Amino acid sequence: MKAYRTINHPHPHVDGLDKVTGKLQFMSDIRLPNMLWGKVLRSTAAHARIIKIDIDEALKVPGVKAVITAEDIDHPPLGPFIPDWQILARDKVIYKGQEVVAVAATTPRAAAEAIELIDVEYELLPPIFDTEAAMEKGAPLVYENRKDNIAFTFSVEQGDPEQGFLESEFVREEVFHTHGAFHAYLEPNGSLASYEINNDSCTIWAATQVPYKAQLLYAQGLRLSAERLRLIQVPMGGAFGGKFECNLHLVCAHLSRKARQPVRLVNTMAEEFETAPIRVPMSIRLKMGIKADGTIMAKDVTVIADNGARTNYGPAVTATACFRVDSLYRIPNVRALGHLVYTNNLPKGCMRGFGNPQMLFAVEGMLDMLAEDAGLTPQAIRLKNAYKNGEISIHGWEIGSCGLSECIKKAISASEWNAKKSKKIKTGSKVRGLGLGCCNHVSGYRPTFTDFDGSSARVLLSATGSITVYSGEVDMGQGYKTVLAQSVAEILGVPLGWVQVAAVDSLNMTLGIGSLASRGTVMGCNAACLAALEAREKLLTGLAELLNKEKAVLDIVDGKIIWGPEKEMSVPFHEMVQKLANTRAGGAIVGAGQYVPNTVNPDPVTKYGNPSPTYSFAAHVAEVEVDLETGQVEVVNYTAANDVGKAINPLLCQGQIEGGAVQGMGWALTEQLHIREGKLVNPNLLDYKIPSFADSFSITSLLVEEEDSNGPFGAKSLGEPAFNPVAAAICNAVYDAVGVRITSLPVKPEELLSAIKTKKENRLKSAPANEKE
Amino acid sequence: MTEISLIINNEQSHFQVPVNMRLIDLLREECQLFSVKVGCEEGECGACTVLLNGQAVNSCLMLACEADGGTIITLEGLCSEEGKLHPLQDAFIQKGAAQCGFCTPGMILAAKALLDENPAPTDSEINQGMAGNFCRCTGYTAIRRAIRAAARQEVNK
């Protein structure tokens, strides 16, 4: 095995110092001279015609510099998937929280006061909140220019599902419901925009996961050519899928254009709850069949997903839910139909897992049910159907490396599954259970952006020998900058501390699709490695001439240029780069790298085709304690085995796994958006309960390194796979503890308690021999 | 307007402030101490935590004039006079306890208040003492490791 000097070591975050000293500037910390403070007036109606907007009084507030409505904005149809965005509501509003009017003023107080004085007259229209009702003929239309409320339909069929069910020994059908969820990053979204009307150009500072995609969309929204719009990416205070292209940034830019001054527009947390692209809730009807030995024969699924009133990434999320899991287990006959439905609910979009956790909740629960029917263990049925290295899935996904079986075995062993299963642990009113959940995930997903796939990077050795790497992908706390710097340091042969990572700025960045689909490490580091290799080659070629040596005898190790039979001759790196630059009029050495993965846009009809260069896998075991008196579920131990290909940074991998486990527990057990008539009634962190220190639990994280030749140093993705199987594992553990199958998330103590009681009563009545204890 | 005096990060300062000005706004907008983060603005997330007379407080819930006469430490004032990192800062880096970094300033200050009162907390004492500070990235495990590591260094002194 190759010994690495920098990668595969647990280096702390390269930007850790700025974070622990408070020097890292987030969006809301940036101030510009002459900067105005923006504020948005949002719709209080879920569905209504706008009769009149009166802004006269707002304009009279001292300090107010601009008030804009849809009348002030001209933009083409807009949106990352479906062009249904209105920057400010035009003619009608379609959800509570939609942007209607925006104000820019010299102080936050003046902006807030002006908002208070704006009068909007609505004529209420019948709203539609329920997805199934919205699909009915004659339902009120969210978009009157559409024939129905179906925003997007996905369908796929391979093999012969009917025949597969006929050949099955055990068949089950069940309906599962998953709920929406708020990302709950602690930094509300915002931006700063400076529009120059004299040459029609605009600079936007924004914390976005997708700077290049955002630049393209924002240019459209401002009717500028993209090169007139500069986008500067600002450090992100958490994102988890919530900080993609964002309408708020466009409102901010239009305010700046009208006011002719820079404008800062940052949401409050309550506004963030209403505007973040929350997780797409789904109703999942799932039918699966297996043979007596556990071989999966067929899967048929129908998904109805709530898009809310505006489309973000819902179409891709729905597609993901429909068929990604078919490349986790070998299933010869599959059919899926997914409808993404417009309602007057809050807009939905992507959140960590992108539809995969929703379907895994259903499929992993179903597998445990079928395993029980067949008298198999949860691990046996999964091992039976797990993909192996080099297989091609039914949808043409080329699974280069697959550590799924290894993950299952490790998680089972480390969680002491067999020992714990052999005796039922009960303490007072609390009973324990174990549950297994598995997942796969992509490392970048070709269909999310049709223009190109892959990533590019530059490595610049300046005349003084400083090393800077430029990439268009984004660090959002996961540690992308760190693994990028590690990759470059490894290739160049220099200490990690010498490598700086440039801020993402559209003026100097190589275009990056961004940090989504768990693509950062695989795409970005692959490109950076190529760039570093080119820089190294150029440097050694120059030095060979300067030192009058054969290039082949030169090497760079630990920041020294070395040669000689015993590698005993050495000269310092910086000094030599400087000398070389002096012979070239101070010219820097630039290495450029383009990584173009061998992926395809799957066929539009059959959906066949390989969309990602590598696939990652995981198996998690949750141990829960269910209180039989209260119905409360608590995770007491958690074991996560993730196939990461190669751990470029084991410390950061551990951070992703631990964070994913606790976030996943929140989705399964503690978090719930309470919505009444389209209005979110708990838009705050008091009533929307994300896990706190008190809810955290003991986590054992295990790294399985099933290297993939398409990954940088063999690495694969981890961000989303750390989250994907958590809710499934927890709910399977609840079943193991109390024999109640959770089919609707989140687990509600009162419902669980009543299900436990019903079960007990039924058992007393009938006492069947095969009931679970 | 009312006049208040505060010792902020070891410097005596006087301010004329509106009576309804929040402490967080004084620290950020008047003193440019941007380590004090604006998160939920209702005392739930702890991102705006500062030390007032050694106690961790949510600066979003407090009026500036309520702090009159007090001593405030923000993250900018945590390094030693020679600029050396506090053991907590060092431990947060080494243990990977700061992912996105947004909760980190408040988290480190809350941890300082905890360790000042209880130099060798157990895990459950850490969980209890830190329950007012949310982190969405780490799952808290790495933060607990960092606090334990920092505590050991201080205990060993």
Side-chain angles (χ1 to χ4, degrees):
Chain A
M1 210 189 338
K2 192 174 168 177
Y4 292 106
R5 303 181 89 83
T6 312
I7 71 128
N8 212 219
H9 290 276
H11 291 288
H13 291 79
V14 292
D15 49 359
L17 186 63
D18 283 349
K19 288 172 181 167
V20 304
T21 53
K23 286 174 187 153
L24 190 69
Q25 281 203 319
F26 294 92
M27 191 56 248
S28 59
D29 305 328
I30 302 171
R31 301 284 182 272
L32 289 184
N34 260 339
M35 185 188 85
L36 300 175
W37 299 71
K39 186 87 188 148
V40 174
L41 178 71
R42 299 177 182 281
S43 166
T44 52
H47 194 194
R49 196 125 4 245
I50 300 172
I51 303 300
K52 197 177 79 182
I53 302 177
D54 185 352
I55 59 169
D56 292 350
E57 293 303 310
L59 284 166
K60 290 178 195 159
V61 175
V64 168
K65 299 286 184 180
V67 180
I68 57 171
T69 68
E71 294 298 304
D72 300 280
I73 297 177
D74 164 47
H75 67 84
L78 206 63
F81 270 89
I82 298 175
D84 58 13
W85 287 22
Q86 290 291 345
I87 297 175
L88 291 171
R90 190 179 295 274
D91 305 328
K92 76 172 198 174
V93 290
I94 49 177
Y95 68 96
K96 288 177 182 172
Q98 188 181 0
E99 306 87 345
V100 181
V101 189
V103 172
T106 50
T107 65
R109 178 172 294 269
E113 198 181 321
I115 288 287
E116 289 291 313
L117 294 172
I118 295 166
D119 193 25
V120 184
E121 194 182 319
Y122 295 113
E123 177 196 318
L124 296 182
L125 298 168
I128 189 96
F129 302 118
D130 179 74
T131 45
E132 287 183 35
M135 289 170 74
E136 279 168 19
K137 222 178 155 79
L141 291 174
V142 179
Y143 290 88
E144 283 155 30
N145 59 351
R146 299 181 73 102
K147 65 178 182 1
D148 57 31
N149 287 319
I150 309 285
F152 170 81
T153 297
F154 180 92
S155 67
V156 66
E157 184 166 341
Q158 292 288 355
D160 183 346
E162 297 318 322
Q163 187 60 32
F165 286 121
L166 284 176
E167 290 171 20
S168 297
E169 212 82 32
F170 302 97
V171 176
R172 285 259 193 173
E173 187 169 349
E174 190 68 62
V175 180
F176 296 86
H177 298 277
T178 66
H179 64 134
F182 175 50
H183 315 74
Y185 33 73
L186 295 187
E187 180 212 26
N189 208 335
S191 72
L192 181 57
S194 181
Y195 196 99
E196 177 51 60
I197 57 153
N198 288 305
N199 63 4
D200 268 323
S201 65
C202 186
T203 302
I204 297 177
W205 289 257
T208 172
Q209 294 173 240
V210 290
Y212 174 55
K213 294 185 80 228
Q215 183 191 5
L216 296 183
L217 187 89
Y218 298 169
Q220 281 180 44
L222 290 160
R223 287 203 188 276
L224 292 176
S225 70
E227 120 280 352
R228 306 303 298 162
L229 189 138
R230 179 180 178 189
L231 195 132
I232 300 174
Q233 208 275 335
V234 180
M236 267 182 285
F240 315 113
K243 293 177 180 171
F244 280 53
E245 297 93 333
C246 179
N247 191 51
L248 188 76
H249 303 165
L250 276 164
V251 174
C252 184
H254 278 286
L255 272 175
S256 174
R257 170 140 74 185
K258 177 87 172 191
R260 301 180 187 184
Q261 280 177 245
V263 175
R264 163 203 203 273
L265 184 56
V266 178
N267 272 341
T268 63
M269 190 60 85
E271 286 178 300
E272 196 61 31
F273 267 92
E274 286 183 329
T275 56
I278 52 188
R279 185 180 293 283
V280 178
M282 292 180 186
S283 154
I284 298 166
R285 176 174 292 279
L286 174 66
K287 183 178 175 186
M288 284 180 81
I290 61 166
K291 284 193 159 174
D293 68 353
T295 304
I296 304 174
M297 293 307 294
K299 164 180 161 267
D300 187 4
V301 66
T302 308
V303 174
I304 297 175
D306 183 7
N307 195 30
R310 180 155 78 195
T311 310
N312 289 299
Y313 282 64
V317 170
T318 305
T320 294
C322 280
F323 82 141
R324 182 162 298 179
V325 73
D326 304 346
S327 299
L328 170 62
Y329 302 116
R330 229 173 281 111
I331 312 178
N333 306 293
V334 295
R335 183 193 296 129
L337 176 64
H339 292 298
L340 179 70
V341 185
Y342 282 119
T343 60
N344 295 110
N345 291 320
L346 296 173
K348 309 301 189 296
C350 36
M351 183 174 171
R352 201 174 193 177
F354 214 77
N356 206 8
Q358 287 94 317
M359 185 55 71
L360 285 164
F361 164 65
V363 165
E364 291 295 286
M366 174 63 78
L367 276 186
D368 269 19
M369 291 160 76
L370 290 166
E372 192 179 22
D373 290 344
L376 297 166
T377 62
Q379 58 271 38
I381 195 169
R382 288 166 174 83
L383 287 168
K384 180 90 197 164
N385 298 286
Y387 273 111
K388 302 274 188 297
N389 285 350
E391 283 191 75
I392 294 175
S393 86
I394 191 157
H395 301 299
W397 294 26
E398 294 164 19
I399 298 163
S401 83
C402 177
L404 177 57
S405 298
E406 181 71 9
C407 286
I408 294 173
K409 289 172 194 160
K410 279 203 159 164
I412 291 291
S413 160
S415 64
E416 299 170 33
W417 176 283
N418 293 330
K420 286 179 175 172
K421 276 276 193 180
S422 64
K423 56 176 191 285
K424 195 98 208 161
I425 302 174
K426 197 174 172 195
T427 324
S429 62
K430 292 176 178 175
V431 57
R432 289 199 176 188
L434 284 170
L436 174 64
C438 297
C439 82
N440 63 334
H441 213 74
V442 295
S443 308
Y445 189 52
R446 187 70 179 86
T448 44
F449 187 61
T450 47
D451 291 5
F452 68 85
D453 196 10
S455 187
S456 59
R458 268 179 297 144
V459 169
L460 188 143
L461 310 184
S462 79
T464 58
S466 70
I467 303 165
T468 308
V469 50
Y470 294 80
S471 164
E473 323 303 345
V474 176
D475 197 316
M476 48 187 174
Q478 82 281 42
Y480 175 65
K481 280 185 174 178
T482 306
V483 294
L484 192 70
Q486 281 180 274
S487 302
V488 170
E490 184 71 46
I491 301 282
L492 284 182
V494 300
L496 175 60
W498 290 10
V499 181
Q500 303 175 67
V501 180
V504 176
D505 178 335
S506 62
L507 281 192
N508 61 25
M509 85 189 196
T510 55
L511 299 180
I513 296 169
S515 293
L516 68 153
S518 296
R519 63 191 298 288
T521 298
V522 168
M523 300 293 181
C525 293
N526 261 334
C529 285
L530 292 170
L533 270 176
E534 187 175 299
R536 182 190 162 96
E537 282 305 296
K538 284 184 175 175
L539 174 64
L540 290 179
T541 304
L543 290 180
E545 202 174 309
L546 200 67
L547 295 163
N548 202 16
K549 304 266 174 238
E550 286 291 317
K551 184 176 144 199
V553 306
L554 298 177
D555 198 2
I556 313 172
V557 176
D558 292 338
K560 292 190 187 74
I561 317 295
I562 61 167
W563 69 90
E566 305 290 323
K567 306 273 181 198
E568 73 285 5
M569 306 297 290
S570 87
V571 285
F573 180 89
H574 293 117
E575 195 183 308
M576 295 315 292
V577 176
Q578 225 164 337
K579 279 190 177 156
L580 188 61
N582 289 345
T583 68
R584 303 171 168 209
I589 292 170
V590 183
Q594 289 94 37
Y595 170 63
V596 182
N598 190 21
T599 57
V600 296
N601 271 312
D603 181 272
V605 178
T606 64
K607 314 298 188 295
Y608 194 90
N610 184 41
S612 174
T614 75
Y615 299 92
S616 54
F617 298 86
H620 291 192
V621 171
E623 184 176 6
V624 304
E625 204 163 63
V626 182
D627 191 326
L628 298 171
E629 282 174 4
T630 64
Q632 285 285 347
V633 179
E634 193 186 337
V635 177
V636 287
N637 281 303
Y638 200 86
T639 308
N642 278 71
D643 169 18
V644 297
K646 186 85 190 169
I648 292 184
N649 189 319
L651 177 71
L652 271 52
C653 288
Q654 188 179 17
Q656 286 301 294
I657 292 172
E658 291 168 349
V662 173
Q663 211 175 73
M665 184 280 282
W667 186 50
L669 299 180
T670 66
E671 297 169 26
Q672 195 180 2
L673 295 164
H674 294 284
I675 295 160
R676 305 267 180 279
E677 297 290 297
K679 173 74 183 166
L680 182 63
V681 296
N682 62 333
N684 60 73
L685 295 174
L686 175 64
D687 301 311
Y688 184 79
K689 295 186 182 303
I690 63 169
S692 77
F693 262 98
D695 305 308
S696 60
F697 43 88
S698 156
I699 301 159
T700 303
S701 64
L702 308 163
L703 301 177
V704 171
E705 294 188 308
E706 196 66 43
E707 292 181 25
D708 195 298
S709 57
N710 283 338
F713 310 102
K716 307 195 283 193
S717 63
L718 179 57
E720 291 167 286
F723 177 96
N724 285 341
V726 182
I730 289 173
C731 292
N732 284 345
V734 169
Y735 181 80
D736 183 48
V738 296
V740 172
R741 174 60 53 197
I742 304 294
T743 55
S744 184
L745 286 178
V747 181
K748 298 180 198 73
E750 65 280 14
E751 287 177 12
L752 181 57
L753 197 58
S754 116
I756 293 170
K757 275 187 184 148
T758 310
K759 192 174 170 59
K760 205 172 169 183
E761 284 161 14
N762 289 345
R763 195 169 49 202
L764 288 175
K765 271 183 223 157
S766 57
N770 63 348
E771 266 299 345
K772 231 180 125 56
E773 280 298 308
Chain B
M1 299 291 266
T2 182
E3 189 176 326
I4 60 170
S5 58
L6 292 165
I7 298 171
I8 301 175
N9 296 335
N10 299 318
E11 264 181 54
Q12 178 76 56
S13 313
H14 302 277
F15 304 93
Q16 287 282 340
V17 298
V19 287
N20 61 355
M21 180 184 241
R22 301 179 304 175
L23 181 58
I24 190 174
D25 297 321
L26 175 81
L27 295 172
R28 284 174 58 87
E29 306 307 332
E30 302 296 319
C31 308
Q32 310 279 296
L33 295 168
F34 289 115
S35 78
V36 185
K37 296 297 174 211
V38 184
C40 71
E41 298 183 87
E42 38 191 33
E44 280 303 319
C45 76
C48 66
T49 302
V50 300
L51 299 182
L52 173 63
N53 302 327
Q55 300 288 313
V57 298
N58 288 316
S59 62
C60 72
L61 287 187
M62 186 164 223
L63 296 175
C65 58
E66 287 181 282
D68 187 20
T71 298
I72 287 175
I73 303 279
T74 70
L75 196 62
E76 286 88 346
L78 200 62
C79 291
S80 71
E81 274 182 34
E82 302 81 46
K84 280 202 67 174
L85 294 182
H86 185 277
L88 273 165
Q89 291 173 303
D90 200 24
F92 266 63
I93 298 178
Q94 297 307 325
K95 301 294 176 189
Q99 283 192 22
C100 81
F102 196 79
C103 75
T104 307
M107 202 62 88
I108 289 178
L109 291 170
K112 182 178 184 328
L114 172 72
L115 293 187
D116 285 348
E117 200 167 296
N118 178 359
T122 62
D123 276 2
S124 86
E125 285 168 341
I126 293 174
N127 288 348
Q128 206 173 354
M130 300 292 295
N133 289 73
F134 283 146
C135 168
R136 192 61 157 166
C137 298
T138 63
Y140 303 101
T141 317
I143 300 177
R144 259 195 310 273
R145 278 187 208 113
I147 294 173
R148 283 201 306 261
R152 278 196 300 275
Q153 284 181 38
E154 292 199 334
V155 168
N156 291 344
K157 260 183 197 170

